[in-house]
Amino acid sequence: MSTIRLGDTAPNFTAQTTEGEINFHNWLGDSWGVLFSHPADYTPVCTTELGTVAKYSDEFNKRNVKVAALSVDGEESHHGWIKDINETQNTTVNFPIIADEDRNVSTLYDMIHPNADSKLTVRSVFIIDPDKKVKLTITYPASTGRNFDEILRVIDSLQLTAYHKVATPANWKHGDDCVIVPAVTNEDIPSLFPKGHTEIKPYLRITPQPNLN
Ligand code: BEZ
């Protein structure tokens, strides 16, 4: 096990999931990815989380993002629990849940934090870009359900940087102005940002969100 840092290649693995065996990199293909772990099946917070992710599937699809969940429970347990998630959260789980009984993936991604729990995965999140580079890691405690609006917000920000050369300021949300990345020269601004920009300081150049009409 080694710490995964931003910019690292997401470790590849082959694993059994509720949608069959996957080779992670092949399964991702050209998509972005979210890999997230939860402590255990049949637990209340996890049930609401997986239901929420299922309900957000259009949002993930729109952004070309594939999502995979993981816990150290087995495939049979996952399948039984999915029925409960669908029933109680009024949705249909439509993404694979990795059955990491041998802890191979949890170990590769350092998802078990022994001082929190020696056997179960914590709530890790990894966002992976189409080049398989890790772009975000977050670790939540087991007792705190994740904010998937925040995960989508970060994906939007990462995609704006990747495709439009802007970063996003504090508390940015969809539709707000963005920050032109420092690597863009003033000479290139008119062609790259036809909506205009405001130079507050030479290092602080603001432009309307580029990918909106
Ligand atoms: C849960 O997943 O519901 C949970 C896990 C650990 C502590 C509290 C809740």
Side-chain angles (χ1 to χ4, degrees):
M1 177 271 294
S2 66
T3 306
I4 295 179
R5 295 185 171 149
L6 302 189
D8 290 353
T9 299
N12 195 21
F13 57 82
T14 299
Q16 203 53 47
T17 83
T18 48
E19 298 188 355
E21 187 178 278
I22 62 166
N23 172 288
F24 188 52
H25 282 190
N26 291 346
W27 175 78
L28 282 171
D30 294 330
S31 300
W32 291 68
V34 172
L35 175 65
F36 69 107
S37 57
H38 56 274
D41 294 356
Y42 297 103
T43 51
V45 175
C46 305
T47 300
T48 63
E49 285 194 313
L50 272 72
T52 299
V53 172
K55 284 180 187 161
Y56 280 19
S57 74
D58 285 349
E59 296 299 323
F60 287 112
N61 288 339
K62 219 158 70 181
R63 292 165 174 82
N64 187 29
V65 178
K66 287 187 169 178
V67 176
L70 174 150
S71 80
V72 296
D73 297 297
E75 203 187 328
E76 208 178 306
S77 164
H78 286 343
H79 279 298
W81 183 42
I82 283 173
K83 289 187 193 138
D84 280 8
I85 298 170
N86 292 346
E87 177 197 323
T88 63
Q89 308 303 303
N90 194 23
T91 190
T92 304
V93 170
N94 47 9
F95 53 86
I97 308 177
I98 295 166
D100 193 38
E101 284 180 294
D102 63 5
R103 291 161 174 69
N104 174 42
V105 183
S106 318
T107 304
L108 272 178
Y109 281 80
D110 194 20
M111 291 165 163
I112 295 176
H113 295 199
N115 291 329
D117 191 299
S118 61
K119 295 203 184 75
L120 303 178
T121 43
V122 291
R123 295 189 200 283
S124 302
V125 185
F126 297 87
I127 297 179
I128 298 157
D129 77 5
D131 293 329
K132 314 288 181 293
K133 298 295 181 198
V134 173
K135 304 301 280 188
L136 165 137
T137 66
I138 327 184
T139 307
Y140 288 71
S143 52
T144 305
R146 280 160 283 206
N147 183 333
F148 289 95
D149 290 320
E150 170 62 4
I151 307 295
L152 289 172
R153 192 189 76 93
V154 178
I155 291 167
D156 284 343
S157 173
L158 287 166
Q159 294 188 343
L160 278 166
T161 304
Y163 305 137
H164 299 283
K165 299 185 197 292
V166 291
T168 55
N171 290 345
W172 174 87
K173 54 187 188 325
H174 184 75
D176 289 350
D177 286 350
C178 299
V179 169
I180 298 170
V181 298
V184 171
T185 63
N186 280 343
E187 291 66 43
D188 286 338
I189 285 181
S191 59
L192 289 172
F193 304 102
K195 292 178 186 170
H197 80 290
T198 306
E199 185 177 296
I200 296 170
K201 289 281 183 189
Y203 59 84
L204 179 55
R205 302 167 300 173
I206 306 294
T207 191
Q209 185 176 325
N211 60 347
L212 295 180
N213 291 326

